[in-house]
């Protein structure tokens, strides 16, 4: 049996972020991370199992301005960490990104969003661009498109494409530099028992006595909560995303407008984080009765979470009977069919790259994870927010999209909860945390200053060259005399 102050269950981007934040920026004496897989971030945080997008809320047209404001700080925290910790861009790449409006209606919607709804003010680097500039940045987006069709995009240079698995591993590596940090991989948590003071975390490799516990295990977090008698009034709608791959078509990330009332991300195309010659299109959104993609053993885990009680069943019926959502779900089932799937998906790709043919795309085998959508079984509807269940000494963190993008912000919030568990025996150095993360994020004013300095240096260099040339001419004239 091992004694520790804090046990974190789950080694994906959420658990790794919390481990990093606790280990580096608090004075908690001892923290333990337990992960059932033999490597960090092997499930949904793995680079093939998500869209590699760092969501700021600037081009995600399913976000309200309020939602974008919430997400923005979280994305800037992670972007700042990447700027400071990954200067060689081994974990991320930075490219142009845009949301594309095609036709009068979509162009008008983008203009209203940018000018009237406040997104242009919230995101200073975001700008409106027309057909000519779109063609400069993304030639294939314009090539083969009807020249009479209205075209506009909202574009920004902050297109961070992220290998979240590598980022999670870097968090764990940084945390391990500190005393009192232990990481147990290939270790399955079988039970969490409350004691008179703290908890006993039972695993297939022994027990851990902990003062506090954070369960950051994605969809499984709700499963653990329900096993302990918490999480009533909640269920999950597991959505599996798939992708299609093509050769080098895009330089950056190109989103399409979100269909209203849909909780899932709009189809987009982007170059792969590690191989810019590969373009990925997706994600699709298929409902699956499992908590992990390709793991049949997690079907029974879904049954535990679902519960098969009247409230859960009625919630599913109410959600899936929506006249917009139901046809969408059916279409996405077709996309996975071997013979007709990619042909059915082709119009989504052509919305981004009109010249693509069906032979140019292939389904990405082995790609795609499961994104848990929270179901509020009391109100019989989807809850689009991140869910946290906080009890005495234990926190269950369920993070649907964009949980990876806001992982450090979630960690900062969760640290506050954890320190409350210990009744302020420990402290969080938020200033140092921000200095290591968001302070490194390049602001529009900073970039403008750098450009101005570069222009000044160029002008000074040109002036010096002109003066040198004049001096040379004068010396030559004197020599002639």
């Amino acid at each position: 049996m091992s004694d520790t102050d804090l046990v974190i269950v789950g080694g994906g981007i959420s658990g790794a972020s919390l481990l990093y934040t606790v280990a580096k920026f608090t004075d908690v004496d001892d923290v333990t991370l337990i992960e059932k897989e033999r490597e960090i971030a092997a499930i949904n945080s793995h680079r093939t199992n998500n869209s590699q997008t760092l969501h700021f809320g600037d081009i995600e047209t399913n976000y309200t301005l309020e939602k974008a404001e919430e997400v923005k700080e979280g994305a800037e925290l992670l972007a700042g960490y990447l700027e400071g910790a990954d200067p060689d861009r081994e974990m991320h790449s930075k490219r142009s990104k845009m949301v594309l409006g095609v036709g009068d209606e979509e162009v008008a919607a983008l203009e209203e969003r940018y000018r009237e709804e406040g997104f242009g003010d919230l995101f200073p680097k975001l700008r409106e661009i027309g057909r000519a500039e779109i063609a400069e940045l993304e030639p294939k987006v314009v090539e083969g498109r009807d020249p009479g069709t209205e075209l506009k995009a909202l574009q920004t240079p902050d297109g961070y494409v992220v290998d979240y698995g590598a980022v999670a591993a870097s968090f764990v590596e940084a945390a391990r530099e500190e005393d009192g940090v232990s990481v147990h991989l290939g270790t399955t948590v079988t039970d969490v028992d409350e004691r008179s003071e703290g908890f006993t975390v039972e695993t297939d490799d022994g027990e851990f006595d902990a003062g506090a516990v954070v369960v950051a295990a994605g969809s499984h977090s709700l499963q653990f909560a329900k096993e302990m008698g918490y999480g009533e009034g909640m269920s999950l709608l597991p959505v599996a995303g798939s992708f299609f791959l093509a050769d080098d078509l895009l330089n950056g990330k190109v989103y399409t407008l979100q269909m209203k009332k849909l909780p899932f991300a709009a189809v987009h195309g982007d170059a792969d984080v590690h191989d810019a010659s590969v373009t990925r299109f997706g994600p699709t959104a298929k409902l699956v009765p499992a908590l992990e993609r390709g793991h049949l053993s997690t079907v029974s885990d879904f049954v535990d979470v679902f519960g098969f009680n009247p409230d859960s069943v009625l919630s599913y019926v109410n959600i899936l009977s929506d006249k917009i959502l139901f046809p969408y779900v059916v279409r996405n089932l077709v996309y996975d069919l071997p013979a007709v799937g990619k042909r059915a998906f082709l119009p989504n790709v052509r919305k981004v790259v009109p010249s693509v043919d069906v032979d140019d795309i292939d389904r990405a085998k082995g790609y795609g994870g499961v994104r848990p959508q929270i179901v509020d079984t009391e109100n019989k509807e989807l809850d689009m927010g991140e869910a946290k269940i906080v009890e005495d000494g234990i926190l269950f963190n369920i993070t649907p999209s964009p949980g990876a993008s806001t992982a450090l912000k979630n960690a900062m919030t969760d640290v506050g909860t954890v320190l409350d568990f210990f009744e302020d025996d420990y402290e969080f150095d938020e200033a140092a945390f921000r200095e290591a993360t968001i302070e490194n994020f390049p602001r529009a004013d900073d970039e403008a200053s750098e450009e101005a300095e570069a222009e000044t240096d160029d002008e000074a260099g040109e002036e010096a060259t002109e003066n040198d040339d004049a001096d040379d001419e004068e010396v030559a004239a004197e020599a002639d005399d």
Side-chain angles (χ1 to χ4, degrees), residues 358-370:
V358 69
D359 294 331
D360 297 327
I361 61 172
D362 288 295
R363 189 165 178 271
K365 296 179 180 178
Y367 280 56
V370 173

Side-chain angles (χ1 to χ4, degrees), residues 278-421:
V278 175
T279 302
R280 186 191 297 194
F281 292 96
T284 64
K286 181 178 70 173
L287 304 186
V288 294
L291 298 189
E292 293 179 24
R293 188 72 173 270
H295 291 78
L296 290 177
S297 61
T298 65
V299 172
S300 62
D301 296 335
F302 168 71
V303 173
D304 292 341
V305 171
F306 184 73
F308 283 100
N309 57 61
D311 284 340
S312 292
V313 172
L314 289 173
S315 296
Y316 266 62
V317 171
N318 185 56
I319 292 167
L320 296 178
S321 63
D322 183 272
K323 64 181 181 180
I324 292 177
L325 184 58
F326 182 74
Y328 176 83
V329 168
V330 173
R331 283 199 306 274
N332 276 260
L333 290 174
V334 175
Y335 297 151
D336 276 354
L337 297 178
V340 300
K342 67 177 184 175
R343 189 173 297 278
F345 189 74
L346 185 62
N348 296 291
V349 179
R350 284 181 171 169
K351 182 74 177 288
V352 180
V353 182
S355 60
V356 167
D357 193 14
V358 69
D359 294 331
D360 297 327
I361 61 172
D362 288 295
R363 189 165 178 271
K365 296 179 180 178
Y367 280 56
V370 173
R371 303 184 298 278
Q373 301 291 329
I374 308 298
V375 175
D376 178 348
T377 58
E378 293 180 0
N379 295 309
K380 312 294 186 295
E381 62 187 15
L382 286 176
D383 181 352
M384 301 312 298
E386 294 168 352
K388 297 180 191 291
I389 301 170
V390 181
E391 299 295 336
D392 188 14
I394 188 165
L395 165 64
F396 303 91
N397 199 342
I398 310 161
T399 52
S401 180
S405 299
T406 58
L408 282 174
K409 185 175 182 179
N410 290 337
M412 184 169 61
T413 301
D414 291 348
V415 161
T417 302
V418 168
L419 297 191
D420 286 343
F421 291 159

Side-chain angles (χ1 to χ4, degrees), residues 19-62:
L19 179 72
Y20 166 76
T21 305
V22 171
K24 302 292 284 190
F25 305 105
T26 78
D27 54 353
V28 172
D29 296 316
D30 196 284
V31 56
T32 299
L33 183 140
I34 305 173
E35 165 56 44
K36 66 185 179 67
E37 302 296 328
R38 295 191 176 277
E39 61 183 52
I40 291 295
I43 310 297
N44 288 335
S45 299
H46 190 275
R47 67 179 183 83
T48 61
N49 293 343
N50 55 75
S51 63
Q52 311 176 115
T53 301
L54 181 54
H55 294 281
F56 284 79
D58 43 11
I59 66 168
E60 293 84 0
T61 54
N62 58 326

Side-chain angles (χ1 to χ4, degrees), residues 126-191:
L126 191 66
R127 60 199 185 96
E128 293 179 284
I129 62 174
R131 180 182 291 264
E133 199 163 356
I134 294 171
E136 289 179 11
L137 294 168
E138 297 289 359
K140 293 291 185 181
V141 170
V142 177
E143 182 182 307
R145 199 180 292 275
D146 182 355
T149 301
E150 282 290 314
L151 203 62
K152 178 166 282 192
L154 301 183
Q155 184 270 343
T156 172
D158 284 340
Y160 287 82
V161 189
V162 182
D163 181 340
Y164 285 106
V167 175
S170 77
F171 284 151
V172 173
E173 182 180 356
R176 278 176 150 166
E177 296 172 355
E178 306 299 320
D179 293 335
V181 173
S182 59
V183 177
H184 299 263
L185 302 179
T187 304
T188 300
V189 174
T190 56
D191 201 5

